[in-house]
Structures are given as C-alpha cells and as structure tokens.
Amino acid sequence: LDESNAPFFKWFHDGELNASYNCLDRHLKTQGHKTAIIFEADDGKVTKITYQQLYHKVCQFANALKSLGIKKGERVIIYMPMIPEACFAMLACARIGAIHSVVFGGFAAASLAARIDDARPVLMMTADGGSRLGKVTLYKSLVDESIKLAKHPPEKVLIYRRGLDPQMAVNAGRDVDWQELAAKHAGARVACTWLESNEPSYILYTSGTTGHPKGVQRDVGGYAVALAASMQHIYCGKAG
C-alpha cells in the first residue's frame, strides 16, 4: 500500500493484473470442465456454462469489441437484463482494458441518459428486451429514447436479440447486431491487456435519489482484493 499521498492511497502500484485472466485463464488447466455459471431464466430453464465455454465466449466477444474499435480506457455502458451475455460483456471489457459501467436494466430513459452524459461511453450494450416475473420490458426502445435525451450519446449500440421485440427499430450506421458480429469471431483467442493495479476497472453509479447520480470508480487491484476477501470471509466460498 502506497500511503505517500494519503488519503489518496494506491494499492500494489508496482503490479499489473487483468480481472478476466483471474476469473478464467488461470482456472482452465485445472477446472476448465467445471461449471462457472448456472443461469436460471425467467421461464425456469436452467443453463450451465463451464469455465472453458465461458472463456471461449468472452474471447469471442472481446474480439468483436476490438473490431468495433473499442480500446483500453474507453467507457462502455452495459444496459442489459440478467442473462449470461451480461457476464460475457463485463469480462470481455475487462479483458481488453475497457472500462464498463453496468446500469440497471429497465431504468427510465432520463436516468439512463444522465449516466450516459457522465460516463460519455463510446458504446452501449443492450438487448431488445428483458423478462422478469413474466413481464417483458423493451430495453431497446428505452435506449433509443435515452440517446435522444443525452448530450453525449454513444457512437454505437450493440443489441442482443432475444425475440422479445419483433418490431424493434434499427438505426442504420449506429446499431449493430450482437449475434451477427459475434459469429464473425467464433474461435477467436484474445490476449489479456494487463493493467497497472490502480487503473480503473469499472464505474458504478449511485442511485440518484438524493441528487445527481455519482459515478464510483473502482480500480483493478483493490477491487480484486476486496472480492477475494469477501468470498473468503463473508460468503465462505470454497472450490466446488
């Protein structure tokens, strides 16, 4: 811990790491065949994804992001339902050093626009819609409205189609089909972009109930330590 400029502390200022590597690559040799994600959909269908499968999905999507010109340090907003692709998106951003900001799916357009203007993302990732307790929310229409309200809209919008909005409007030149883009990068391998420990990992916004939403920026090194400590001491998580 570098305390020379307290209270602006720096964790592990002489080290580098990558959160995607920590989550995936280092596990592949010993437990690539084991389950990394168990996803239960709104209709009750359960999907299990192994570490190896997750690694391939994340590499595929990381390469797709690079093909859109996304670079280290650029901001990306993830406005998606609770589906595995949201995890792919976060880990893909981490892999290439892009800073992701997850905004709760279903937020009103004005709330989303406020976070867009603060983060000034180059890309927004979303889905045509989400389903919760049987109720469908059309995400893409909320994204379109928020972009009209925003002063600093993203250059591209990447859309994961779930078949929930057959009448979904498409903005030519701005909107990109997630499945079509990912298909072009099947089997891709993407090396991790190593980050100095104090470089930003993600931005998470406060609720905005008492004022303008404030972006909380988390670094890579300190956040990794916080996660490891939480899993060990709060969740008592162990292998298997």
Side-chain angles (χ1 to χ4, degrees):
L1 176 63
D2 179 359
E3 302 178 81
S4 61
N5 191 30
F8 301 101
F9 302 107
K10 288 187 175 183
W11 287 97
F12 318 116
H13 60 96
D14 57 346
E16 292 183 323
L17 76 161
N18 182 284
S20 180
Y21 180 91
N22 274 17
C23 288
L24 298 172
D25 304 55
R26 71 189 185 96
H27 296 301
L28 295 180
K29 285 186 178 179
T30 57
Q31 55 185 42
H33 64 289
K34 292 185 178 179
T35 302
I37 291 176
I38 301 174
F39 169 65
E40 183 175 347
D42 197 45
D43 60 5
K45 182 183 177 182
V46 175
T47 302
K48 294 184 178 182
I49 303 171
T50 67
Y51 280 93
Q52 191 72 51
Q53 291 169 331
L54 182 56
Y55 168 78
H56 287 304
K57 288 287 188 182
V58 170
C59 281
Q60 179 185 27
F61 194 52
N63 210 41
L65 291 179
K66 291 179 74 173
S67 75
L68 292 176
I70 307 302
K71 302 180 181 66
K72 173 186 173 182
E74 291 186 320
R75 273 87 61 204
V76 173
I77 282 185
I78 300 172
Y79 180 77
M80 297 189 69
M82 294 283 282
I83 55 177
E85 285 72 20
C87 292
F88 305 163
M90 284 181 261
L91 287 167
C93 286
R95 195 165 193 87
I96 64 175
I99 303 166
H100 69 272
S101 181
V102 174
V103 176
F104 170 68
F107 256 175
S111 298
L112 179 55
R115 289 155 177 80
I116 291 172
D117 282 337
D118 188 78
R120 301 194 181 190
V122 295
L123 174 71
M124 167 96 71
M125 289 190 260
T126 190
D128 57 352
S131 176
R132 188 167 184 172
L133 299 177
K135 181 183 177 182
V136 172
T137 300
L138 300 182
Y139 282 43
K140 177 55 167 49
S141 57
L142 288 169
V143 166
D144 288 341
E145 188 179 347
S146 71
I147 288 176
K148 289 178 183 178
L149 295 172
K151 296 176 183 177
H152 305 282
E155 298 170 10
K156 296 288 184 181
V157 176
L158 192 57
I159 308 145
Y160 184 74
R161 292 179 182 267
R162 306 182 69 208
L164 296 177
D165 186 5
Q167 308 302 318
M168 184 186 76
V170 175
N171 186 310
R174 186 198 71 188
D175 295 347
V176 181
D177 187 287
W178 179 311
Q179 283 97 324
E180 287 183 6
L181 182 65
K184 297 176 183 177
H185 301 281
R189 298 288 187 276
V190 178
C192 293
T193 298
W194 297 97
L195 302 176
E196 192 274 326
S197 297
N198 295 280
E199 291 188 273
S201 173
Y202 68 89
I203 303 168
L204 188 63
Y205 282 88
T206 57
S207 64
T209 51
T210 58
H212 193 78
K214 292 165 283 293
V216 179
Q217 181 174 283
R218 293 301 303 265
D219 63 354
V220 184
Y223 181 55
V225 171
L227 284 180
S230 297
M231 290 307 300
Q232 181 177 346
H233 301 298
I234 296 175
Y235 297 103
C236 301
K238 297 181 175 63

